[in-house]
Amino acid sequence: MRAVRRPLRTALLGLALLMPVAAGAVQPEEVMKDPGLESRARSISAGLRCLVCQNQSIDDSDAPLARDLRLIVRERLRQGDSDGAVVDYVVHRYGEFVLLRPVIAWHTALLWLTPVLVVGLGGLALWAAGRRRKATAPNALSAAEEAAVADLMRRAEPR
């Protein structure tokens, strides 16, 4: 019986290690008692950037500033603000950089269009290089050159 339990236990442990774990830095004392408000707070904070880490949402960051931002989000929700009003408040206070997903507007057009321009210019450069390569193809040999090559080939043949 032990021979069966050990591999089974090892397999279950391996599966448990492969299961995704909800990564988050939200501390238990931050969690709101109302599950609806907590869900709203989590969805809002998932879209806000930690200004210290810059590659994580405030929901995933352990930085003190991220904790402060999570508390601000929860406090604004307790006061009855809508999700949009909470995001607007944080953006007004910290700037648009706090948004993990930048807004699409005229002042961010370069940010959104740069990848398209780079790919387009790269494609245009490849197309131009291909056309240039076709234009520089070698010309055919003249009759005198062909005769000289044939003479050289005859001389090189083993006798």
Side-chain angles (χ1 to χ4, degrees), residues 102-138:
V103 294
I104 299 174
W106 285 110
H107 65 279
T108 59
L110 186 61
L111 173 72
W112 289 102
L113 294 177
T114 298
V116 174
L117 291 173
V118 168
V119 169
L121 289 175
L124 187 63
L126 287 174
W127 177 77
R131 291 202 36 110
R132 197 173 322 127
R133 186 172 296 163
K134 287 179 186 175
T136 61

Side-chain angles (χ1 to χ4, degrees), residues 12 20 22 25 29 41 48-49 52 54 71 76 83 88 98 113 115 129 133 138 147 150 156:
L12 288 175
E29 65 270 6
L48 297 176
R49 177 190 322 273
V52 175
Q54 296 185 8
L71 293 175
R76 300 297 296 195
D83 294 2
D88 289 344
V98 77
L113 294 177
R133 186 172 296 163

Side-chain angles (χ1 to χ4, degrees), residues 47-87:
L48 297 176
R49 177 190 322 273
C50 172
L51 298 172
V52 175
C53 307
Q54 296 185 8
N55 256 357
Q56 290 180 320
S57 70
I58 62 171
D59 222 15
D60 297 331
S61 174
D62 286 326
L65 180 59
R67 182 180 190 283
D68 293 344
L69 285 170
R70 288 192 302 266
L71 293 175
I72 288 172
V73 167
R74 282 165 172 73
E75 181 58 34
R76 300 297 296 195
L77 287 174
R78 269 190 212 97
Q79 292 175 3
D81 286 358
S82 68
D83 294 2
V86 173
V87 171

Side-chain angles (χ1 to χ4, degrees), residues 2-46:
R2 277 190 177 189
V4 173
R5 282 189 197 166
R6 188 174 198 131
L8 182 61
R9 194 175 346 156
T10 305
L12 288 175
L13 179 63
L15 285 174
L17 291 174
L18 291 175
M19 288 178 59
V21 177
V26 178
Q27 302 300 312
E29 65 270 6
E30 295 176 34
V31 177
M32 300 173 85
K33 295 197 185 329
D34 181 0
L37 284 179
E38 179 62 24
S39 173
R40 287 176 56 202
R42 292 287 178 114
S43 69
I44 293 170
S45 61

